[in-house]
Amino acid sequence: MNTQPPAGSLVCVGIGITLGSHISPLARSHIETADVVFVAVSDGLVELWVQRMHPDVRSLQPFYQTGKPRMQTYRQMVDAMLTEVRAGKRVCGVFYGHPGVFAWAPHKAIETARAEGYRAHMEPGISAEDCLYADLGIDPGTRGCQHFEASQLMYYRRRLDPSAWLVLWQIGITGDHGQNRFSTNTAYLQVLVDVLARDYPLEHEVIAYRAATLPIHPPRIERTTLARMPHLTLDAADTLAIPPATPMEPDPVTRARLAALDMVRADAVGT
């Protein structure tokens, strides 16, 4: 009985956000040694850069079309990669940022490949979240940091903690329930403001953020108030970061329990 896995394989790698600066040696090796490379990155310049590493680089960008549901696009991406895996090829999927962050297709492609018996795994990359921490000087361990996709926050009842940082992803397509648009407008953004105003004062600071994709460009860091946020010019790459609005509230009951445990431990050590 043959227990060897099929010849084809898949690895999805992240090349980070800033062109040429974030790619790891392991990700580069996977690109250079693959039989076929599929690429979905932030712009054409980055795609051309990847093409310099391998003679057979195939863009996944043509699957995107205005008005076309993004889930249909993502499934076509998965099918394109898996077709080559099933043909016995070593396939490398290259994605900007981290291939597992806001990226349905890499997860699904790896899941499907494994279910069919092929070797498949993911190599992490520097994500926009990593860049945000560095550029805005945020340490998530200081006050905590909660992350939501902007539209998801509007469609579901989520519990926010205004004593921690709040990061809203894909703010530039807020309200896109059908996943077929690539922009938003002030009316949709005003709905988001109304949702956030349940926990944050309208005069509270918010920060529109976009990581730099080229080393010669600075990141976008634009500060305004929650009330004025709908008037920002945004695109799909923009993120909204909201600093803590309230102090952290002590929990005296839990503190008392922990203090009692400390006393028991101290007594045990002393005996």
Side-chain angles (χ1 to χ4, degrees):
M1 181 177 177
N2 184 11
T3 59
Q4 292 296 317
S9 65
L10 172 67
V11 58
C12 292
V13 305
I15 59 169
I17 300 296
T18 305
L19 175 62
S21 302
H22 293 166
I23 187 171
S24 70
L26 187 55
R28 182 183 290 272
S29 176
H30 281 302
I31 295 170
E32 293 174 342
T33 59
D35 295 320
V36 182
V37 175
F38 289 91
V39 59
V41 291
S42 55
D43 57 48
L45 184 61
V46 179
E47 190 170 302
L48 289 172
W49 176 70
V50 175
Q51 289 175 359
R52 295 172 57 186
M53 302 182 209
H54 196 280
D56 188 1
V57 174
R58 307 177 190 181
S59 178
L60 295 171
Q61 291 300 124
F63 289 119
Y64 285 107
Q65 293 178 14
T66 301
K68 177 181 177 181
R70 283 198 294 280
M71 188 54 66
Q72 181 183 350
T73 295
Y74 299 154
R75 292 188 186 280
Q76 290 174 333
M77 291 179 174
V78 172
D79 289 342
M81 290 187 286
L82 265 294
T83 295
E84 296 300 326
V85 172
R86 293 168 185 141
K89 304 287 184 64
R90 292 172 300 167
V91 177
C92 180
V94 178
F95 298 86
Y96 66 91
H98 189 302
V101 177
F102 285 93
W104 185 90
H107 283 293
K108 187 63 177 179
I110 291 171
E111 175 189 336
T112 304
R114 287 174 174 172
E116 295 180 10
Y118 297 99
R119 292 167 296 164
H121 74 283
M122 179 180 290
E123 292 292 343
I126 293 176
S127 69
E129 177 184 350
D130 302 309
C131 297
L132 179 144
Y133 291 147
D135 291 332
L136 297 186
I138 298 172
D139 180 352
T142 301
R143 296 288 296 269
C145 196
Q146 49 203 329
H147 296 258
F148 297 96
E149 197 275 336
S151 296
Q152 184 188 93
L153 182 68
M154 296 162 65
Y155 285 114
Y156 298 92
R157 294 182 181 273
R158 308 304 301 266
R159 188 172 297 175
L160 300 181
D161 178 3
S163 70
W165 278 87
L166 174 62
V167 179
L168 298 181
W169 298 98
Q170 298 186 326
I171 190 73
I173 52 174
T174 295
D176 182 19
H177 186 59
Q179 293 193 330
N180 57 9
R181 292 189 290 107
F182 294 92
S183 62
T184 190
N185 60 40
T186 56
Y188 287 96
L189 290 170
Q190 185 59 52
V191 175
L192 177 60
V193 168
D194 294 341
V195 170
L196 293 171
R198 300 168 185 167
D199 296 283
Y200 297 88
L202 290 174
E203 66 275 13
H204 188 65
E205 179 184 73
V206 301
I207 306 167
Y209 172 78
R210 186 191 312 143
T213 57
L214 297 175
I216 60 173
H217 291 164
R220 176 189 186 178
I221 302 176
E222 185 173 352
R223 302 175 188 272
T224 187
T225 63
L226 179 59
R228 295 191 57 79
M229 187 267 289
H231 304 290
L232 292 172
T233 300
L234 301 167
D235 66 26
D238 286 313
T239 300
L240 193 72
I242 304 180
T246 62
M248 292 187 290
E249 184 177 349
D251 184 341
V253 174
T254 302
R255 289 189 178 198
R257 290 182 62 189
L258 293 172
L261 289 174
D262 288 342
M263 291 181 63
V264 171
R265 182 182 179 186
D267 290 342
V269 171
T271 57

